[in-house]
Amino acid sequence: MSGPTVRSGDRGFRYTLVAPSIFVLLLIGVFPIVYLLMVSFQGLTMTDNDTSFQGLLNFRALLDDTRLWQSLMHTVFFTAIALPAELLLGLAMAQLFIDRMPGRQVFIALLVLPVVVAPIVSGATWSLMFDNRFGPINQILGWITGEEMAVLWTVKPHLVYPAILMAEIWQWTPFMFLLLLAALSGVDKSQLEAASIDGAGWWSTFFRIVLPAIWPVMAVAILIRGLDLFRLFDVVWALTKGGPGTMTETISIFTYVKGFQQFETSYTGAVALLIIVLLTVLLTVLLKRVSIAR
Amino acid sequence: MKRSANLRLALRYLGALVLTVFFLFPIYWLFMISFKTADEIYAFPPVWWPETMQWDNYIVLFRDGDATTVLNSFIVAGASTVLAMFLGTICAYSIARFRTGGDNLANWILSQRMVPPVAVVFPIFLLYVWFGIVDTYLGLILLYTAFNLPYVIWMMRGYILDIPLALEESALVDGCSRWQVIWKVVFPMCRAGLFATAIFTFVFAWNDFIFALVLTRTEITTYTVQVTHYFGGQSNFWSKISAMSVLGTVPVFIVVGFMQRYLVRGISLGAVKG
Amino acid sequence: MSDVSSLRRMAAAVRFALLPIAATGMLLGSGGASAASAAQTAVDAAKPLCAGGKTITIVWEAGLQSLDPQNFSGPMWEKLTGCKVKVVEVPASEMFTKIMQEYRAGTGAYDALNVVPAWMPDLVQAGALEPLDALVDKYKYRAELKNIAPTYRDNQMTVNGKIYGFPDDGDVFVMYYRKDIFADAALKKAFKAQFKYDLAPPKTWKQFDEIGAFLTEKLKAKGTYGASMFREAGYGNFLFQERFRNEGGRFFDGNTMKATINSPVGVKVFEGWRAENRFMPPGVEKFGFVENLATFVKGESAMTISWPPYGRFAAGYLANEKALDWVPKTTIAGKVGYALPPGGHPQLAMGFALSVASTSKQKEAAYLFIQWLNSEEISNQRVKLPYALRDPFRNSHFTNPEYLKLWPDAKNYLATLQAGSKTGLLDLSLIQTDKYEEALRQGISRLWAGEDAKKILDDIAKEWDTVTQKVGVDKQKAVYNAWAAKGGAYPK
């Protein structure tokens, strides 16, 4: 082929295109990591400006910090419940809306609204909803049970997790729904018909044809939500601030408390690095299993 | 046969209705509070419909200037979206067409999006102090641009790969410069992709709380930060919390409403080609 | 310029006309006090500093509190001196964070600060606050500082003998009760018959329990409970500190610095709380400032303990004030009595002091602004702003003739606040106080979660000991003993 081809861009041009983005990312992305690395080997606290080298002191302290590991467990627990719940509910909803029905688009448009509400706003809204006295949830329960309910959703240990999960699932199930709906519409209709003619049951059709077809999308959805849940902050903060005690404290809340309320600057640096390392490992493993790239 | 189909449809409507009620009720409740008086907000049992739709809670926000925080949100979210879309798209073009930096660069860029904000926000604050851009539009715009770039690059790379090479080749043959190819072929060809990506870039910046909390003081307070100003030790202005939240939420509802058809691909990191 | 001079002329005229009253005592209004008043000194000194239009940035609690500098004192200061005032509104829960964060980064973004006195040791230790003694002398403020009510003056102003902030908010927990209920003849008779003493605001927690349960039994059908109370952890923290010390508890052993919060007294307080909830509105475990306020002003509880604004809100004074829209309308105006809480030593919970940031680039101008705000003349106007939440903290505030006229019972209200300020107990204040309080707050939320009181308190004590170890036992011990030696640390 004569003349210029698209793929043979000159070096200057191709690097000019990426340079601004790389510059911005380095500026905002790399400095914090360098800073965290630096302070995590020092002894900075709220009242102490000790910048001398402390070796691995802060990292060793991580190991003994039960509150840290508990917060990590809480995070895992939230993820373990919320993620499958959102996925299954989202899938069921997608099934409901997969076939044509008049007004379908309107329903879909309304159902996705929770996704774009700011998490801090949705947290505030749910704390109002769950208010034992001025909120509607206890009132509705009261109608169902026929007696006045004063359930303390954000106080009692067996209720805080359901309350937080409810808010979380409310906000993000529509996300799963939207994705899975799109994935389902992409399933080859002729295969489904063939299966139906063969007399395959609903379950076997689902597992043999539908699931493999929607899996790539589902995997991405799980990945995105999984990473988001790992950083869970706003909703828990608005509802319980991590309480009662530290019962619902997530890893992000723990980091915030250590860093921004107690100013354990160096220790927080170590915690932040731990999170980043964990996330990187998690991501690498997941990306290997789930080929996101086309 | 016909009857069972009708029954099925009826059941589906019932299901759809129940779901819609469940997912919209909290939003309804938030909106309703903003029209209630203090007595109605603290009424027991709770009131589901205010006696009169009064706009006082909003009037107060406009009178005191609190409503301008929505404008601030608009400026930072809007500007950072435009910037991230432009920078990200040309970067994505380079990666898609020339494989610049190989897989490593692409993966590194994507990993930048995964860092939890709470872990890095303090160092970024320090950095901004040195640059003197705390509490400036520039500061937040730069930050949101940076945090959205990985997403934009990732998304746009996918869209650009969908454009047939031949189109660009013929443009080059016709004498277009490299930049003109991007401007005249690439951008128009992936317009749908630009929209889909821009929505989420915008919504992310619009809804962010923790960065705005740390990196602003008074001048460019965004609406999410303003909402938290109404939670006090000795006061909880539910009327203002809800009215401010509504002011901040309605714009994204409108944007999303108009851009419905671009939503799916954007939300799925490009995994679903909507 | 002509604005200012005409204002001054007016002030002079007013001063002349009011001379007889001025001679008898306190006088209000910008022109009222003598020429050498601290307010005037500050204004005169600030004028040259402000030439060319400077801006002073001050951190203030977001919400109602900020209306004072935004609508009242800020514009007034600008008019008087030419210095603009920029208010950085920060929610109470973020204030410490914001102040430390800016200090750590050395931004100099804040000139003056609102600081909770219990934070002062931490902020001073970190170096965030400017010592004010030299400026106090330079601008002759000592005399007026002396007239701040003794508790606040002696306890919330200095760290290690140096002045770091001017106490500016007389926060004290007072008991509010329904006079009409306590005066009800039938109730009184029935109560006397049952308990052998007169129905009156409780003097001990045992009485509180009996009276509360009795009133709930009698009045619940009419929708009124015997009492409602802060129970949410953030507020409960203060109530715990108050009751624990009123009952004879000590936070630490002064010799070993071992935490003694898990003593039998602590257990008694926790178990007492839990038991009392039986006669309070359902869901009281979640009550914070607003929930409790709503319950009380709507007549749904007969007693409660809270900060001074409850008294003003319940009296319904200036209920038409737009800024107070969020307060449910009071149905009990004129029916509210004021008393000290059981035990007689109320918590001086939180409060605010005005300080100068050590990183400010215009410390002197910032200082003059806070001196002016805090002065006799200006503070007397600020504490009676209907929407503000600054509570009386100067001797003169308690007898301010205009304040006394604000509602029929204001006299008793102010007298009770003053009595409370005299016997009040300080918030625990050590190095890293928030870590100790955080452990306590978490303990309270666990109490409502249903855990065993003793077990919780043991955990708190363990956590406290860990924090002490980290800070350094000897270092913390010195700070604690200095704090414990203060008049308001423990009941005498």
Side-chain angles (χ1 to χ4, degrees):
Chain A
M1 187 177 247
S2 64
T5 63
V6 172
R7 288 211 185 278
S8 67
D10 62 287
R11 289 180 75 81
F13 178 66
R14 67 156 92 164
Y15 288 118
T16 312
L17 292 179
V18 294
S21 292
I22 304 286
F23 175 73
V24 171
L25 284 174
L26 282 175
L27 191 71
I28 305 290
V30 171
F31 171 78
I33 309 289
V34 174
Y35 173 86
L36 291 173
L37 261 174
M38 211 171 67
V39 294
S40 63
F41 290 104
Q42 299 173 344
L44 293 171
T45 63
M46 175 156 63
T47 49
D48 207 343
N49 263 321
D50 180 7
T51 53
S52 64
F53 184 72
Q54 301 280 316
L56 291 172
L57 197 72
N58 291 308
F59 292 96
R60 197 148 31 167
L62 290 176
L63 296 177
D64 298 332
D65 192 340
T66 47
R67 189 170 160 189
L68 166 73
W69 298 106
Q70 275 169 3
S71 69
L72 205 59
M73 286 316 293
H74 301 149
T75 311
V76 171
F77 183 75
F78 276 123
T79 311
I81 305 285
L83 197 54
E86 287 164 14
L87 188 69
L88 291 178
L89 199 59
L91 190 60
M93 282 167 70
Q95 281 289 350
L96 185 70
F97 284 101
I98 186 71
D99 293 328
R100 302 212 162 277
M101 62 198 267
R104 178 171 169 268
Q105 279 310 322
V106 179
F107 279 117
I108 295 173
L110 289 174
L111 284 173
V112 297
L113 290 182
V115 177
V116 292
V117 173
I120 190 83
V121 169
S122 96
T125 306
W126 278 97
S127 85
L128 268 175
M129 299 273 298
F130 277 122
D131 192 283
N132 57 298
R133 208 166 160 73
F134 309 119
I137 291 181
N138 278 349
Q139 192 182 13
I140 294 168
L141 287 178
W143 292 336
I144 296 169
T145 58
E147 51 191 300
E148 197 175 301
M149 300 293 277
V151 181
L152 293 167
W153 288 97
T154 54
V155 174
K156 296 295 175 194
H158 59 288
L159 295 172
V160 280
Y161 272 90
I164 292 169
L165 285 167
M166 175 90 153
E168 173 62 30
I169 289 169
W170 171 80
Q171 182 153 36
W172 295 109
T173 298
F175 169 90
M176 290 287 189
F177 160 62
L178 204 58
L179 254 65
L180 294 171
L181 183 64
L184 282 177
S185 354
V187 177
D188 191 347
K189 291 276 186 306
S190 59
Q191 279 191 340
L192 291 178
E193 276 158 23
S196 152
I197 289 163
D198 289 350
W202 189 89
W203 283 108
S204 80
T205 314
F206 179 81
F207 279 107
R208 277 199 313 202
I209 299 169
V210 179
L211 197 59
I214 63 173
W215 173 244
V217 174
M218 210 153 137
V220 171
I222 292 171
L223 186 73
I224 297 174
R225 285 302 305 141
L227 288 168
D228 281 350
L229 276 161
F230 194 83
R231 296 176 292 192
L232 184 64
F233 183 89
D234 306 62
V235 173
V236 185
W237 190 252
L239 282 174
T240 67
K241 289 220 161 26
T246 53
M247 214 171 280
T248 57
E249 193 167 72
T250 64
I251 189 76
S252 280
I253 289 182
F254 177 81
T255 314
Y256 181 81
V257 170
K258 283 286 166 197
F260 284 88
Q261 290 187 342
Q262 306 185 341
F263 284 90
E264 297 274 349
T265 310
S266 284
Y267 185 63
T268 312
V271 174
L273 285 175
L274 174 77
I275 299 175
I276 291 171
V277 169
L278 280 177
L279 268 177
T280 312
V281 171
L282 198 72
L283 192 67
T284 319
V285 172
L286 284 176
L287 277 179
K288 250 186 205 143
R289 303 212 46 174
V290 178
S291 159
I292 200 177
R294 50 197 77 215
Chain B
M1 192 64 195
K2 184 89 193 290
R3 256 189 73 173
S4 90
N6 277 342
L7 185 70
R8 234 179 88 85
L9 190 65
L11 281 176
R12 282 176 63 208
Y13 269 111
L14 187 69
L17 214 61
V18 170
L19 286 170
T20 312
V21 168
F22 172 74
F23 284 103
L24 289 194
F25 185 73
I27 296 171
Y28 163 82
W29 196 256
L30 176 71
F31 276 56
M32 270 313 116
I33 285 175
S34 70
F35 296 108
K36 288 181 181 176
T37 62
D39 288 319
E40 286 168 331
I41 292 173
Y42 296 106
F44 181 78
V47 183
W48 285 49
W49 188 259
E51 205 158 289
T52 51
M53 280 283 178
Q54 48 100 22
W55 293 86
D56 284 6
N57 300 330
Y58 292 95
I59 292 167
V60 170
L61 295 183
F62 282 94
R63 190 197 61 202
D64 297 348
D66 299 17
T68 55
T69 55
V70 177
L71 193 67
N72 288 336
S73 287
F74 186 78
I75 292 170
V76 292
S80 68
T81 300
V82 171
L83 199 60
M85 289 310 298
F86 178 72
L87 297 183
T89 306
I90 58 173
C91 178
Y93 180 79
S94 180
I95 291 175
R97 286 292 183 247
F98 313 128
R99 302 195 57 74
T100 310
D103 281 347
N104 287 338
L105 183 66
N107 285 341
W108 176 76
I109 288 174
L110 192 62
S111 73
Q112 292 298 302
R113 176 69 187 249
M114 307 306 170
V115 179
V118 72
V120 292
V121 63
F122 185 66
I124 292 175
F125 175 74
L126 285 179
L127 190 70
Y128 274 29
V129 171
W130 294 337
F131 293 160
I133 52 172
V134 176
D135 205 24
T136 61
Y137 287 124
L138 177 66
L140 274 193
I141 291 169
L142 188 66
L143 182 100
Y144 293 143
T145 303
F147 261 75
N148 274 322
L149 266 177
Y151 175 72
V152 174
I153 294 169
W154 178 261
M155 291 292 295
M156 292 317 296
R157 191 188 74 120
Y159 286 109
I160 290 167
L161 285 173
D162 290 348
I163 303 174
L165 272 177
L167 279 176
E168 290 169 51
E169 307 257 323
S170 63
L172 281 175
V173 172
D174 289 350
C176 283
S177 74
R178 287 269 175 196
W179 283 100
Q180 280 171 328
V181 169
I182 294 181
W183 195 247
K184 289 187 176 157
V185 179
V186 176
F187 275 97
M189 280 304 291
C190 51
R191 187 158 8 146
L194 288 169
F195 277 127
T197 310
I199 298 174
F200 283 90
T201 314
F202 185 83
V203 169
F204 168 82
W206 184 270
N207 283 348
D208 168 66
F209 168 63
I210 195 131
F211 285 122
L213 173 72
V214 176
L215 300 176
T216 68
R217 294 184 191 116
T218 53
E219 298 304 306
I220 58 149
T221 309
T222 61
Y223 95 91
T224 47
V225 174
Q226 186 64 32
V227 166
T228 63
H229 279 190
Y230 308 130
F231 295 94
Q234 298 191 348
S235 49
N236 254 356
F237 303 83
W238 279 117
S239 51
K240 284 191 183 183
I241 290 170
S242 59
M244 196 70 230
S245 298
V246 170
L247 284 184
T249 306
V250 166
V252 283
F253 279 1
I254 293 172
V255 170
V256 168
F258 278 116
M259 306 267 186
Q260 193 77 52
R261 64 205 178 94
Y262 302 118
L263 215 56
V264 180
R265 180 151 177 178
I267 213 172
S268 66
L269 279 183
V272 178
K273 296 185 184 173
Chain C
M1 206 55 218
S2 71
D3 225 33
V4 175
S5 61
S6 71
L7 205 80
R8 272 208 159 149
R9 260 203 309 283
M10 220 164 75
V14 170
R15 196 180 310 158
F16 181 72
L18 297 182
L19 210 58
I21 308 173
T24 63
M26 199 29 240
L27 194 65
L28 317 161
S30 61
S34 66
S37 78
Q40 194 57 48
T41 311
V43 169
D44 291 341
K47 264 187 219 160
L49 284 177
C50 292
K54 271 199 179 135
T55 301
I56 297 165
T57 307
I58 186 163
V59 177
W60 214 290
E61 188 191 342
L64 279 189
Q65 287 270 16
S66 298
L67 293 178
D68 167 356
Q70 278 172 345
N71 296 354
F72 176 74
S73 49
M76 192 166 162
W77 180 249
E78 189 181 348
K79 214 168 196 177
L80 291 170
T81 66
C83 265
K84 280 194 174 33
V85 175
K86 186 161 119 184
V87 181
V88 180
E89 279 192 70
V90 186
S93 55
E94 298 292 336
M95 280 179 90
F96 185 82
T97 298
K98 276 272 181 186
I99 291 169
M100 270 307 281
Q101 178 192 319
E102 298 278 354
Y103 166 68
R104 264 296 154 79
T107 60
Y110 301 154
D111 299 309
L113 308 168
N114 273 265
V115 164
V116 172
W119 303 340
M120 256 194 219
D122 278 342
L123 291 170
V124 168
Q125 177 108 10
L129 302 185
E130 183 71 10
L132 302 176
D133 296 78
L135 291 164
V136 167
D137 288 329
K138 183 171 174 191
Y139 295 108
K140 307 193 173 48
Y141 192 43
R142 284 211 189 261
E144 286 198 12
L145 274 181
K146 285 212 178 76
N147 297 330
I148 290 178
T151 329
Y152 309 120
R153 178 194 66 206
D154 297 342
N155 299 314
Q156 302 188 340
M157 195 158 86
T158 56
V159 175
N160 303 328
K162 282 196 210 147
I163 300 177
Y164 284 99
F166 301 146
D168 198 60
D169 186 11
D171 273 343
V172 56
F173 273 180
V174 168
M175 170 168 270
Y176 304 92
Y177 65 94
R178 289 279 298 281
K179 285 191 296 187
D180 54 329
I181 292 175
F182 278 80
D184 184 287
L187 284 174
K188 283 176 87 158
K189 207 175 142 205
F191 185 84
K192 183 79 182 258
Q194 194 177 342
F195 294 99
K196 315 292 174 230
Y197 62 90
D198 285 324
L199 179 63
K203 293 265 184 272
T204 64
W205 284 106
K206 184 167 174 293
Q207 287 183 1
F208 175 81
D209 186 86
E210 289 166 356
I211 296 167
F214 171 82
L215 291 178
T216 298
E217 187 196 318
K218 300 288 181 199
L219 301 173
K220 194 175 166 187
K222 290 185 216 156
T224 300
Y225 291 85
S228 63
M229 207 59 81
F230 289 154
R231 285 293 190 248
E232 196 273 320
Y235 303 88
N237 165 37
F238 299 120
L239 275 183
F240 179 89
Q241 292 192 26
E242 170 182 307
R243 187 156 166 184
F244 178 70
R245 286 180 287 177
N246 271 295
E247 302 268 40
R250 312 277 294 186
F251 293 126
F252 297 95
D253 179 322
N255 294 318
T256 62
M257 213 36 212
K258 275 269 179 216
T260 50
I261 190 169
N262 52 345
S263 65
V265 181
V267 179
K268 187 176 157 197
V269 173
F270 264 11
E271 284 175 351
W273 273 9
R274 186 133 64 190
E276 287 155 11
N277 285 359
R278 75 186 186 282
F279 59 77
M280 297 195 196
V284 70
E285 291 92 332
K286 266 202 71 190
F287 275 24
F289 188 87
V290 180
E291 295 84 355
N292 194 31
L293 175 67
T295 306
F296 187 67
V297 299
K298 288 164 93 180
E300 291 166 10
S301 75
M303 298 184 274
T304 193
I305 294 174
S306 180
W307 280 286
Y310 269 40
R312 303 198 288 273
F313 294 162
Y317 112 80
L318 287 169
N320 294 329
E321 176 66 40
K322 267 279 163 223
L324 293 181
D325 265 357
W326 60 278
V327 182
K329 296 231 170 7
T330 178
T331 59
I332 54 168
K335 298 177 182 168
V336 180
Y338 318 102
L340 293 184
H345 297 279
Q347 186 85 359
L348 304 169
M350 272 187 77
F352 278 111
L354 298 171
S355 299
V356 172
S358 63
T359 48
S360 164
K361 291 175 189 84
Q362 34 189 4
K363 290 176 197 165
E364 204 135 337
Y367 169 82
L368 290 168
F369 178 50
I370 65 168
Q371 165 168 333
W372 176 80
L373 281 173
N374 192 248
S375 67
E376 285 282 347
E377 220 176 301
I378 304 305
S379 68
N380 259 295
Q381 300 176 39
R382 291 172 51 230
V383 289
K384 65 181 183 53
L385 291 173
Y387 47 74
L389 293 166
R390 289 300 216 229
D391 306 310
F393 61 89
R394 282 181 171 277
N395 295 330
S396 59
H397 298 162
F398 299 115
T399 52
N400 179 326
E402 296 209 350
Y403 207 139
L404 290 170
K405 278 186 283 186
L406 288 179
W407 72 92
D409 234 3
K411 191 171 168 225
N412 291 331
Y413 171 71
L414 289 171
T416 311
L417 295 189
Q418 185 166 27
S421 82
K422 284 181 179 151
T423 60
L425 297 175
L426 303 165
D427 291 343
L428 178 65
S429 177
L430 305 166
I431 298 175
Q432 309 217 341
T433 307
D434 188 64
K435 284 196 185 166
Y436 294 88
E437 290 194 340
E438 196 213 4
L440 181 53
R441 286 194 295 263
Q442 287 179 351
I444 294 170
S445 64
R446 286 171 59 193
L447 181 72
W448 305 137
E451 291 185 45
D452 175 63
K454 175 70 179 153
K455 166 93 176 54
I456 298 171
L457 286 159
D458 285 345
D459 287 350
I460 298 174
K462 209 159 76 193
E463 180 70 31
W464 281 21
D465 287 340
T466 313
V467 179
T468 307
Q469 297 265 322
K470 254 189 153 172
V471 172
V473 175
D474 290 333
K475 195 166 156 194
Q476 191 69 294
K477 192 167 119 183
V479 175
Y480 170 70
N481 282 325
W483 176 82
K486 288 184 176 185
Y490 289 104
K492 280 181 216 83

